[in-house]
Amino acid sequence: MSEDTHATELTRRRMLQGAAAALTVATGTVVIGLAGPGGGAATAADPGASDSFDEVFQGRRIQGRPADVGSHHHGGAAGTGYEVRIDGDELHMMRNADGTWISVVNHYQTFATPRALARAAVNDLQGATLVPVVTA
Amino acid sequence: MGVRKNQANLTAQEKRAFVNAVLALKANGGYDPFVTTHNQFIISDVDNGERTGHRSPSFLPWHRQYLLEFERALQAVDPSVNLPYWDWTADRTATAGIWGADFMGGNGRSSDGQVTTGPFAFSGGNWRLNVNTDSRTYLRRQLGTGVAQLPSRTDTESVLAITTYDAAPWNSSSAGFRNNLEGWRGVNLHNRVHVWVGGQMATGMSPNDPVFWLHHCFVDKLWSEWQKRNPGKTYLPTAGTPDVIDLNDRMKPWNTVTPADLLDHSGTYTYDTGF
C-alpha cells in the first residue's frame, strides 16, 4: 500500500480505539523493564495463570494470557504456553531457558515479563500494524 | 577462491559492485527467500526443542552455510563479489564509513526510523520490504538507541578466550564460546549488535537490512579466529544429542551439510587479516 494509504489507515485505527484509549495515551511514555545490553540481565518472573493482562498502552490494546500449548499454530507462541496480542493481532513470542521472553519484533533482546515485551513491541511499531508471520 | 575483506578497506568500486549485486538479487526475487528462511528458523528454534539456526551449537555452522549460499547468489550476479565484514569493535559509531550513502546508507530519521540515504532507502525505489513483522515496508534503523555501545575489542577478546566451544544444555543458557559469542550470556556480542542497529535488524526478519550480512560475516570471522587460537578444540556435541545438531548431523534446510563439513573454510574463502 502507499505511504498515504498507510497513514490514513493508522489514523482511522487510532480513532476507532475510542476515548478510553485516547485518555490513556495522554499519560505518555512509560519506562519499561528492558533487559541489560541486548539481553541476559533480565530477571524473569513466572507469568503463571494469574498474570494475564489487558491494557491500553500508547493507544494500542495489548493483551497477554496463558494459552493452550497444544493449539500452537504459525504465528503462535512457539509452545510457550502464553500469547500476546496487539490490537487483536498475535505477536509471535518465545520463552528462553532462563525464563525471559523475546518477540519477533525484538528477537535479540530479552524481557522479564510478557507485558514488558508487549510494551516494547508497541514502542517499536510506532502505530504500525503487525502482519502474520510468513513461514513459507 | 574468495577473500573476504574488512568493509572499511573496500575500494569505491568494490563497494559499488557489492551494492549493485545485492540490489540485483533483490530485483530478481532472489533476496527475499533468504529473509523468509532466516525468520522460519528464528521463530522455530527453541531452547527446549529442536534448534538449528540459533540458540544452539549449530548457530555458527548454520550461519556459515547461510552466508555461503548468499555469497554464491551474489556471485551468480557478479563473480567478483565477496562478502565484506563489519568489525564493529573498530567502526563503532553512527557516523562510521559503513553508514555512508555509497554503501549501507545512514541512520533512520527520528520521526519514523526510516533510512533516507544510500542505496537501500525506500525513496530510491529499489528496496521495498516484502517479508516483514508489520505494515511498514521501508528499511528502518535506530543506531545506538536500543543499546548505547557496540561490543568493544576487550569484550570480544574475553569471548575468544573461552576455550570450550559449547556446553550442555546446548541452548541460550549454555556456558562456552558459542553462546557468549551469540550473546544470550555474558558480555553479549552478536545479539547486542542486532539491538544496536535497531529497526528490522532487531527483528526475526533481520536480513532485510543488508548490514546483516556484514555483521554475520564478522561473527563468522570471529569463529575462524577462535579456531585458529584453539587448535585442539572442536565443535561440540559430537553425537547422540536430542534436538541438537551433532558434529556429523545434517542441517536443515539444506540437508546436505554437517558442522564437520564446515569447520574449515580455507578451501572456499579466506579472510584478509586475523582479528
Side-chain angles (χ1 to χ4, degrees):
Chain A
M1 80 183 75
S2 73
E3 292 297 289
D4 288 343
T5 307
H6 182 201
T8 305
E9 285 214 350
L10 293 180
T11 304
R12 185 167 54 87
R13 187 175 194 105
R14 289 202 180 95
M15 289 172 64
L16 290 171
Q17 282 161 347
L23 285 171
T24 309
V25 171
T27 63
T29 305
V30 175
V31 177
I32 55 175
L34 294 180
T43 305
D46 193 324
S50 63
D51 202 38
S52 295
F53 62 89
D54 187 342
E55 68 183 29
V56 176
F57 177 75
Q58 296 192 3
R60 310 291 295 269
R61 186 177 185 187
I62 57 173
Q63 298 163 283
R65 64 182 178 93
D68 177 5
V69 176
S71 72
H72 170 57
H73 54 89
H74 291 308
T80 58
Y82 205 87
E83 71 171 31
V84 164
R85 292 181 181 274
I86 298 178
D87 291 339
D89 298 323
E90 188 162 5
L91 175 68
H92 191 279
M93 59 185 290
M94 182 183 293
R95 193 162 204 197
N96 297 316
D98 67 357
T100 59
W101 303 83
I102 58 174
S103 81
V104 73
V105 173
N106 297 99
H107 218 285
Y108 304 90
Q109 185 172 12
T110 60
F111 298 91
T113 64
R115 190 193 301 251
L117 168 145
R119 288 175 171 181
V122 166
N123 280 328
D124 181 81
L125 287 167
Q126 294 188 294
T129 52
L130 288 170
V131 296
V133 172
V134 176
T135 55
Chain B
M1 186 175 61
V3 178
R4 294 181 176 179
K5 299 178 185 175
N6 188 325
Q7 60 79 28
N9 297 329
L10 295 184
T11 65
Q13 186 183 350
E14 287 170 329
K15 285 186 179 180
R16 199 157 50 236
F18 178 76
V19 165
N20 286 343
V22 171
L23 292 176
L25 194 61
K26 178 77 169 174
N28 74 20
Y31 192 94
D32 289 345
F34 281 96
V35 184
T36 301
T37 295
H38 185 269
N39 188 57
Q40 283 175 331
F41 276 81
I42 212 164
I43 66 175
S44 63
D45 295 322
V46 291
D47 276 339
N48 58 356
E50 186 176 324
R51 48 198 185 276
T52 302
H54 306 86
R55 57 181 66 238
S56 59
S58 46
F59 168 70
L60 291 170
W62 190 92
H63 281 84
R64 179 165 282 179
Q65 180 65 22
Y66 181 64
L67 262 60
L68 275 169
E69 301 276 343
F70 182 73
E71 189 172 48
R72 286 169 185 150
L74 294 182
Q75 288 167 350
V77 174
D78 180 348
S80 78
V81 168
N82 297 286
L83 289 183
Y85 63 86
W86 168 31
D87 179 352
W88 24 253
T89 71
D91 297 293
R92 45 189 299 106
T93 68
T95 54
I98 187 173
W99 308 114
D102 62 339
F103 202 39
M104 292 293 108
N107 198 1
R109 64 188 178 194
S110 59
S111 58
D112 61 1
Q114 184 171 167
V115 171
T116 58
T117 58
F120 307 105
F122 186 81
S123 58
N126 297 317
W127 205 255
R128 179 194 167 87
L129 306 188
N130 302 305
V131 183
N132 213 348
T133 55
D134 58 73
S135 50
R136 292 166 291 182
T137 56
Y138 51 86
L139 180 64
R140 291 178 290 115
R141 293 184 187 128
Q142 291 184 292
L143 305 182
T145 299
V147 59
Q149 298 291 333
L150 286 163
S152 68
R153 186 169 185 100
T154 304
D155 293 335
T156 306
E157 287 287 355
S158 75
V159 172
L160 287 169
I162 300 170
T163 57
T164 302
Y165 177 77
D166 207 342
W170 319 110
N171 64 17
S172 75
S173 67
S174 288
F177 169 70
R178 185 275 310 169
N179 197 34
N180 278 270
L181 174 56
E182 190 171 359
W184 299 112
R185 174 173 181 144
V187 295
N188 187 355
L189 301 184
H190 153 269
N191 282 353
R192 197 202 318 185
V193 176
H194 279 275
V195 175
W196 186 88
V197 175
Q200 281 88 12
M201 264 291 273
T203 75
M205 288 76 157
S206 45
N208 271 315
D209 190 331
V211 84
F212 173 94
W213 308 103
L214 283 72
H215 170 36
H216 268 278
C217 192
F218 187 59
V219 171
D220 185 79
K221 182 174 189 284
L222 291 175
W223 182 27
S224 184
E225 179 72 19
W226 180 88
Q227 291 175 303
K228 198 162 52 181
R229 295 185 188 189
N230 295 275
K233 301 288 184 171
T234 191
Y235 182 92
L236 295 171
T238 54
T241 318
D243 293 327
V244 170
I245 300 293
D246 293 310
L247 179 63
N248 294 300
D249 290 346
R250 293 182 180 187
M251 291 186 292
K252 295 176 183 175
W254 311 288
N255 297 315
T256 54
V257 292
T258 67
D261 296 332
L262 291 161
L263 298 180
D264 180 7
H265 61 76
S266 64
T268 313
Y269 61 88
T270 57
Y271 284 106
D272 57 348
T273 64
F275 176 52

